[in-house]
Amino acid sequence: MSNKTSRESTQEKKDFERFPLSSIIGENHLIHAAIASLIFIIVWTPYRFLTSILISKGISIRVVDSLVKPAVKSGIVLFCLRFLDKIPRNQYLRELGMKRENLFKGLALGLLAWFLYTITLQYVKLCLSADGLLLPSLRIMAWEPSKYFLDMAYFVFIIGLFEEMFTRGYILKELFNGITGKFRLLIALLFSGALFSLFHFPIDIFVMKYALDQLLLHSLFTLSFSVLAGVLFVRSGWQIVGVVVLHGLMDAKPLFYLAHPEARFDLVGKELLIAYLVSFSAPLLAIELIHKVRKKVVIGISSVRGLSSQDGF
């Protein structure tokens, strides 16, 4: 029993070990996360105010964001890595989770999470629609492949990449490294999720012009997504690629629809809240289940190898 407990403890440490470079530069990770978040809010709030003016002049927000978002978010991250964390330049990408290790694992989990979220959300909407439960009617939506995949590239490589590099790759990692205790991961996920929701306030207020109830609902949506993305990031071995793909695919139009052409979706308030919570829970539970099964398999294999070595095999 003691050997099993020791192996589980060792495996847990491997799952949640600190980044080696970050651990040698001091214990100011929480301050670093706070500084990065504050700089972003100070810069992004007036930018989003100006964005609403640009849109009124007929300028596309996508065109402007394609230039501004990468510059602002990568600039803040690079500033923090260099002057706060003092990470060597050749380790920047690795520190943010852009590495070859666990690449396939992260990508597979990201695609699985997107598929489960999308299919669950659409099915729940079918159940809660005005017409009641209708039989699913699969429809592939990429009728114009060039336009569809161009849009997808924008959401993955502009929106997903730079938002995840900033929020998960830097802020979540800093929060996790700065928090101690048994529930450090949960606390880091919730705090990073709250910040992620806060980061969306400027666009929700100045561009989307949400009412209070819409703002609260969208904040819950972004918080739920952030928790899912954070769990995916950690369970992928701090590999960011799968999270980037998940984010981009969720922002883009779905590749498929289960809805019947005559189905009417007018979900608001409580019904929409239920749909989102159930849809985020499905991939989250799947990722955790895969993680636990994999951990038990690894422990079992280690136990067998240990017994074999003791028996002289």
Side-chain angles (χ1 to χ4, degrees):
M1 181 65 70
S2 60
N3 289 337
K4 181 178 180 181
T5 303
S6 177
R7 292 191 190 98
E8 290 178 347
S9 177
T10 301
Q11 183 64 31
E12 199 69 17
K13 288 180 180 178
K14 288 181 179 179
D15 290 339
F16 299 122
E17 65 180 354
R18 289 169 177 247
F19 286 74
L21 290 171
S22 299
S23 62
I24 63 175
I25 52 92
E27 298 298 327
N28 296 317
H29 303 291
L30 295 180
I31 297 176
H32 298 173
I35 291 174
S37 301
L38 183 60
I39 294 174
F40 177 75
I41 292 172
I42 291 174
V43 173
W44 207 246
T45 300
Y47 166 66
R48 277 303 179 217
F49 177 77
L50 292 175
T51 302
S52 62
I53 299 176
L54 294 176
I55 293 175
S56 67
K57 302 294 183 180
I59 300 175
S60 170
I61 185 175
R62 181 176 295 192
V63 173
V64 180
D65 275 5
S66 296
L67 300 173
V68 177
K69 182 167 289 190
V72 170
K73 296 198 172 183
S74 61
I76 295 173
V77 169
L78 293 176
F79 168 81
C80 293
L81 289 176
R82 180 175 181 181
F83 296 105
L84 300 182
D85 297 282
K86 303 186 186 303
I87 301 297
R89 291 183 181 180
N90 62 350
Q91 294 294 328
Y92 283 178
L93 293 180
R94 183 176 183 82
E95 188 74 5
L96 296 171
M98 300 179 190
K99 53 187 180 180
R100 287 182 293 181
E101 292 89 345
N102 298 311
L103 177 60
F104 176 78
K105 176 184 176 182
L107 186 58
L109 287 177
L111 290 173
L112 175 65
W114 165 77
F115 177 78
L116 290 177
Y117 166 81
T118 303
I119 199 169
T120 304
L121 178 62
Q122 293 187 20
Y123 189 75
V124 172
K125 282 186 174 182
L126 276 174
C127 296
L128 299 177
S129 66
D131 297 322
L133 178 61
L134 300 174
L135 292 177
S137 176
L138 180 63
R139 293 183 295 156
I140 304 299
M141 298 306 297
W143 299 116
E144 300 180 36
S146 58
K147 183 178 183 302
Y148 180 84
F149 288 106
L150 184 63
D151 287 345
M152 185 180 294
Y154 167 78
F155 286 112
V156 171
F157 295 108
I158 300 297
I159 304 298
L161 176 60
F162 290 97
E163 287 195 10
E164 292 308 319
M165 178 184 68
F166 179 69
T167 309
R168 248 63 62 183
Y170 187 76
I171 290 180
L172 174 59
K173 182 259 299 181
E174 290 294 295
L175 290 172
F176 179 79
N177 281 343
I179 297 171
T180 59
K182 182 178 179 180
F183 300 103
R184 60 188 297 204
L185 177 59
L186 177 61
I187 295 172
L189 288 171
L190 292 177
F191 267 93
S192 64
L195 288 172
F196 188 66
S197 296
L198 181 63
F199 296 158
H200 284 79
F201 274 18
I203 191 172
D204 290 346
I205 295 172
F206 297 124
V207 179
M208 305 305 296
K209 302 186 185 303
Y210 284 155
L212 181 59
D213 58 336
Q214 294 174 309
L215 182 63
L216 292 175
L217 183 61
H218 189 241
S219 296
L220 182 60
F221 173 86
T222 51
L223 174 62
S224 301
F225 168 78
S226 185
V227 171
L228 172 61
V231 170
L232 173 61
F233 185 39
V234 175
R235 299 311 189 199
S236 300
W238 303 95
Q239 167 61 252
I240 200 72
V241 171
V243 191
V244 170
V245 171
L246 170 66
H247 192 145
L249 291 178
M250 284 184 60
D251 280 355
K253 291 182 179 179
L255 181 61
F256 61 88
Y257 279 96
L258 296 179
H260 189 277
E262 297 179 359
R264 299 194 306 273
F265 296 128
D266 51 0
L267 304 185
V268 294
K270 185 185 297 185
E271 292 179 338
L272 189 58
L273 178 61
I274 293 173
Y276 283 143
L277 291 178
V278 173
S279 303
F280 279 116
S281 298
L284 187 61
L285 292 174
I287 292 172
E288 283 299 294
L289 178 61
I290 292 172
H291 171 72
K292 291 185 181 300
V293 170
R294 180 178 177 275
K295 187 164 69 171
K296 287 185 177 181
V297 170
V298 170
I299 293 173
I301 293 175
S302 300
S303 300
V304 171
R305 288 178 177 175
L307 291 174
S308 298
S309 62
Q310 291 177 7
D311 292 338
F313 290 104

